[in-house]
Amino acid sequence: MAPITSRIALTAGACLLAGCAGWSALPPPASTQLSAPGSDPLRSFVASIDAPSGSKPSPDGKKLLWHAMYGREVTTFVRNADGGDPAVFRLGRNLPYWACDSRHLIHESDPAGGGNTQVILIDTERPGATPVNLTPWKGSTSHVIHAGDAASGKLVLVSNRRDAALFDVYSADPASGKVEMVWKNNGDVTRWIMDVDGSVGARVRRQDNQYFLQVLNKTTNTWKSVSAWPELADIRPIRVDRAAGNVFVMSRLVPENAGNGTAASVDRGLPCRMPPQAGTLSASAR
């Protein structure tokens, strides 16, 4: 079976700035800070704890998100492009990020520190409103794998609510707060992978000391195994483009785990070719 060509997407910190030309610079620190609560000994050891950081324009370019210190607490600010006072959100250590609708912030938080990570939705147009907990499920861990797209507006997240050892896929509607399961883990899926079109496009399954990449057929809604690699190989698919026949991966391919050797000289961070299908799923697991 022909392998899928893969490309590594090194886009850390990258952002599409279309429509964001109005953001010439961050506001000066003085305009982003609340009054500091008294003297803080930390200021004697750190050059600046007041400087804004982590600025990110909203997907539509009409708002700006950034973080700054209030005392020793990291605080999140959101301001409209046309000016005005910023909305202030004190959310703790984990920093929020934009949902696709440019209105909500996504905040993944584990308040008790017990592995019960929850997905919280914050409405930037209603700063005083109570945040919506999309995953208020005790004893579970949930993470967003897709912040939504303009077509559906829905977030995609994974959670082990049903079974602590397995992660199923859910969709969440920011407008209504409704969450529903869309893909159930059959017991050996180790990773769900989004397509560039905004839908779940592939998954990784583990069987007989191997990992199998399966791609979802859009027409038949069935899965097809397209590649396999040894259990010890450091290969992590992160995105697929089914229309182009590509998969984006992070990998460290070396001669002993590079399949037929075509990728033996590939280093982490460079375009590489997925190993050819080196094994076959059992009939019961296809």
Side-chain angles (χ1 to χ4, degrees), residues 232-245:
L232 296 180
D234 183 8
I235 298 176
R236 289 159 292 167
I238 56 176
R239 193 76 74 201
V240 295
D241 183 347
R242 288 170 291 180

Side-chain angles (χ1 to χ4, degrees), residues 99-124:
C100 71
D101 63 3
S102 297
R103 172 172 178 167
H104 293 92
L105 299 180
I106 301 169
H107 186 226
E108 298 185 24
S109 174
D110 179 12
N116 183 204
T117 302
Q118 301 172 340
V119 178
I120 313 297
L121 207 59
I122 299 156
D123 191 341
T124 63

Side-chain angles (χ1 to χ4, degrees), residues 18 59 61 65 82 96-97 99 129 136 161 168 191 197 221 226 243 260-261 273:
L65 160 73
D82 55 6
Y97 52 94
R161 175 191 187 187
D168 303 312
R191 183 185 292 266
D197 67 6
N221 210 38
V226 296
N260 63 357
R273 181 172 294 277

Side-chain angles (χ1 to χ4, degrees), residues 5-48:
T5 300
S6 63
R7 303 190 183 107
I8 293 181
L10 297 179
T11 56
C15 172
L16 295 179
L17 295 178
C20 302
W23 297 108
S24 57
L26 280 172
S31 67
T32 68
Q33 299 301 304
L34 303 178
S35 301
S39 61
D40 189 339
L42 185 62
R43 296 175 184 271
S44 301
F45 300 95
V46 181
S48 174

Side-chain angles (χ1 to χ4, degrees), residues 48-98:
S48 174
I49 64 174
D50 293 325
S53 63
S55 59
K56 294 182 180 179
S58 58
D60 64 6
K62 297 180 178 180
K63 297 177 183 177
L64 183 69
L65 160 73
W66 74 95
H67 314 288
M69 294 294 294
Y70 172 56
R72 294 188 182 182
E73 182 180 2
V74 177
T75 303
T76 297
F77 298 83
V78 175
R79 196 190 71 181
N80 291 327
D82 55 6
D85 295 329
V88 180
F89 304 92
R90 296 186 183 88
L91 304 171
R93 293 174 297 174
N94 292 349
L95 302 179
Y97 52 94
W98 287 109

Side-chain angles (χ1 to χ4, degrees), residues 21-279:
W23 297 108
S24 57
L26 280 172
S31 67
T32 68
Q33 299 301 304
L34 303 178
S35 301
S39 61
D40 189 339
L42 185 62
R43 296 175 184 271
S44 301
F45 300 95
V46 181
S48 174
I49 64 174
D50 293 325
S53 63
S55 59
K56 294 182 180 179
S58 58
D60 64 6
K62 297 180 178 180
K63 297 177 183 177
L64 183 69
L65 160 73
W66 74 95
H67 314 288
M69 294 294 294
Y70 172 56
R72 294 188 182 182
E73 182 180 2
V74 177
T75 303
T76 297
F77 298 83
V78 175
R79 196 190 71 181
N80 291 327
D82 55 6
D85 295 329
V88 180
F89 304 92
R90 296 186 183 88
L91 304 171
R93 293 174 297 174
N94 292 349
L95 302 179
Y97 52 94
W98 287 109
C100 71
D101 63 3
S102 297
R103 172 172 178 167
H104 293 92
L105 299 180
I106 301 169
H107 186 226
E108 298 185 24
S109 174
D110 179 12
N116 183 204
T117 302
Q118 301 172 340
V119 178
I120 313 297
L121 207 59
I122 299 156
D123 191 341
T124 63
E125 296 183 7
R126 301 175 59 210
T130 301
V132 176
N133 189 345
L134 295 174
T135 59
W137 309 320
K138 294 183 178 180
S140 65
T141 297
S142 305
H143 298 287
V144 172
I145 61 173
H146 183 57
D149 59 84
S152 69
K154 292 184 178 181
L155 314 179
V156 181
L157 56 93
V158 294
S159 179
N160 62 351
R161 175 191 187 187
R162 180 179 60 87
D163 185 322
L166 305 173
F167 281 85
D168 303 312
V169 182
Y170 295 79
S171 68
D173 185 349
S176 65
K178 182 180 180 181
V179 178
E180 57 183 356
M181 184 188 296
V182 292
W183 285 104
K184 184 177 180 180
N185 195 323
N186 61 6
D188 60 7
V189 176
T190 62
R191 183 185 292 266
W192 298 95
I193 306 163
M194 297 299 297
D195 192 297
V196 295
D197 67 6
S199 64
V200 174
R203 64 185 182 182
V204 175
R205 299 178 69 180
R206 180 182 179 185
Q207 186 184 83
D208 299 329
N209 299 319
Q210 289 191 94
Y211 289 103
F212 294 83
L213 176 66
Q214 293 188 317
V215 174
L216 179 65
N217 185 296
K218 294 182 180 182
T219 304
T220 63
N221 210 38
T222 56
W223 300 93
K224 179 181 180 180
S225 297
V226 296
S227 185
W229 59 92
E231 186 178 38
L232 296 180
D234 183 8
I235 298 176
R236 289 159 292 167
I238 56 176
R239 193 76 74 201
V240 295
D241 183 347
R242 288 170 291 180
N246 293 329
V247 57
F248 300 83
V249 304
M250 293 299 294
S251 64
R252 181 187 292 138
L253 297 181
V254 294
E256 58 266 29
N257 64 26
N260 63 357
T262 58
S265 62
V266 175
D267 296 323
R268 178 188 293 267
L270 297 177
C272 66
R273 181 172 294 277
M274 290 286 288
Q277 180 133 354

